[in-house]
Amino acid sequence: MRRDGLLVPLGLAVTLILTAAAPAYAEKGFGGATDGETEQHADTSGDGTVSVTVGGVVFDRSKNGSGRSAGALTPSTSWTPPPCWYAPKYTPEQLQKYLEPIWEAGSTGHEWDAKQRDRYVKGHPYKDFNKDKAGKGYFWDSFVDEDFPPGWDSCEEQIFWVDQGDPPPAGIENAVTPEILAELAYSEIRVPGTEVTLAPAEAAKVNLPTWAWLDGAEFKPVSVTASVPVIGIEATATAEPVSLEIEPGTPDAETFPASGVCEINGGRIGEPYAKGKAEQTPPCGVKYLRSSGDGTFPLQATVTWKIEWTGTGGAGGDLPDGSFGATQDVVVQEIQAINR
């Protein structure tokens, strides 16, 4: 069993659960909130958007998407952001303040406590909590995505030391680097809702094209920056809309284009309807072939976003595309004709 960065014998699990609420176990390092907690910071954008510290990483959301219908992206592949990661958490003094009360409580067992003292005090490999290196590095520990996705418990390395300016030890997966920060920033991206504007607005008509478009002012690139200030690294993940896919909600319909995928054109998705275009073919839209009767058709609109990242030292690259969609009800009416 792992408890807040410490490898704990499974036989001690019950004891630790009973003692977990003791004040000694709530000691925080400089890395911010303890696992599963989020620290809110000052408004950075003037619109209610805040930066947060999660697991030793500061997320700047000031350039993120906003609004009640904004949401997180779903990756287009099986790739997912790291469920846990390693980041700086303790100075030598802070680690001592964290560990010594645990050992003194005796709840973890003499054998385990002795091994921990051997590791952090007696020089195998750290002597006196590395106090001779104070100000020259940090103890790193694992942090967990607060949603506890699959794999959240896969970071099982014991707390380890990294000299300032050095990379983390080879072989430690998900230790923060610009690329890992970019992947973490991906999970913090929020994009605008995808309710499309349809016209004619009052109701779609059977066998007449319905134009569809998205507000170009809302559908622009958004980004989140993740950083670890104490070691001077950061990365920004940027999402840019590339296409809109329309699913009419019934097989009795045709889409424009036929694929149902409307590409970005000049920074705009689709084209606003204008008077006199009722019978023209829209660049983005749908034509229903039957009425919705007394009900509606659930039109699904999904925007695909391309994700790129840049980071400290000129690092950068692509991450899997993401998508975000919404369903809206569409009334489709028969065109009334009068026979004379």
Side-chain angles (χ1 to χ4, degrees):
M1 176 182 175
R2 179 178 178 82
R3 186 187 178 283
D4 193 26
L6 301 177
L7 292 176
V8 181
L10 290 174
L12 302 174
V14 175
T15 303
L16 281 175
I17 291 171
L18 293 174
T19 59
Y25 300 113
E27 178 72 27
K28 295 181 181 180
F30 64 86
T34 53
D35 291 354
E37 296 180 358
T38 299
E39 289 189 348
Q40 302 285 337
H41 294 287
D43 187 342
T44 58
S45 65
D47 64 356
T49 303
V50 297
S51 66
V52 298
T53 297
V54 181
V57 178
V58 178
F59 295 95
D60 179 357
R61 298 170 173 171
S62 62
K63 297 180 181 178
N64 215 352
S66 59
R68 288 189 304 171
S69 58
L73 292 168
T74 299
S76 60
T77 68
S78 59
W79 174 90
T80 58
C84 61
W85 59 93
Y86 298 94
K89 187 171 185 180
Y90 299 106
T91 64
E93 182 180 359
Q94 288 170 335
L95 184 61
Q96 181 181 14
K97 288 182 178 179
Y98 173 68
L99 290 180
E100 284 190 338
I102 298 176
W103 302 337
E104 292 170 0
S107 59
T108 49
H110 174 75
E111 181 179 355
W112 184 81
D113 290 347
K115 288 181 179 179
Q116 290 292 303
R117 288 190 175 95
D118 191 56
R119 175 177 175 83
Y120 296 108
V121 179
K122 297 183 178 180
H124 303 102
Y126 311 115
K127 186 175 181 180
D128 194 22
F129 296 97
N130 266 11
K131 288 181 181 177
D132 61 329
K133 290 189 173 183
K136 300 177 182 179
Y138 305 97
F139 281 104
W140 291 40
D141 196 7
S142 65
F143 295 89
V144 175
D145 184 317
E146 57 188 3
D147 291 328
F148 294 94
W152 67 267
D153 55 350
S154 60
C155 294
E156 297 186 338
E157 297 287 341
Q158 296 191 71
I159 298 170
F160 57 90
W161 177 268
V162 179
D163 287 331
Q164 185 75 344
D166 285 355
I172 296 184
E173 189 175 355
N174 290 351
V176 288
T177 61
E179 184 171 4
I180 291 295
L181 290 178
E183 294 175 356
L184 293 173
Y186 186 117
S187 65
E188 293 289 322
I189 288 176
R190 298 294 180 266
V191 295
T194 55
E195 183 172 357
V196 297
T197 303
L198 301 174
E202 60 277 6
K205 301 295 191 295
V206 172
N207 291 324
L208 283 179
T210 296
W211 293 56
W213 69 94
L214 288 167
D215 185 347
E218 291 187 13
F219 280 83
K220 56 187 179 182
V222 299
S223 66
V224 171
T225 297
S227 64
V228 183
V230 296
I231 57 173
I233 63 171
E234 68 174 31
T236 298
T238 300
E240 181 177 1
V242 294
S243 63
L244 165 70
E245 182 176 7
I246 293 177
E247 298 178 41
T250 172
D252 297 317
E254 299 175 358
T255 56
F256 307 102
S259 65
V261 178
C262 307
E263 303 291 341
I264 293 285
N265 183 15
R268 182 174 59 189
I269 302 178
E271 181 180 324
Y273 173 78
K275 187 175 181 180
K277 292 184 176 181
E279 296 187 13
Q280 295 182 24
T281 300
C284 183
V286 60
K287 180 169 70 175
Y288 287 97
L289 305 180
R290 68 177 178 89
S291 156
S292 60
D294 294 332
T296 59
F297 291 130
L299 181 144
Q300 175 80 24
T302 303
V303 174
T304 295
W305 298 74
K306 179 180 179 181
I307 314 298
E308 297 180 334
W309 70 274
T310 58
T312 301
D318 298 326
L319 291 170
D321 290 350
S323 63
F324 184 65
T327 300
Q328 58 196 89
D329 295 327
V330 178
V331 176
V332 180
Q333 299 175 341
E334 293 277 7
I335 299 176
Q336 301 298 318
I338 299 177
N339 295 321
R340 295 184 182 276

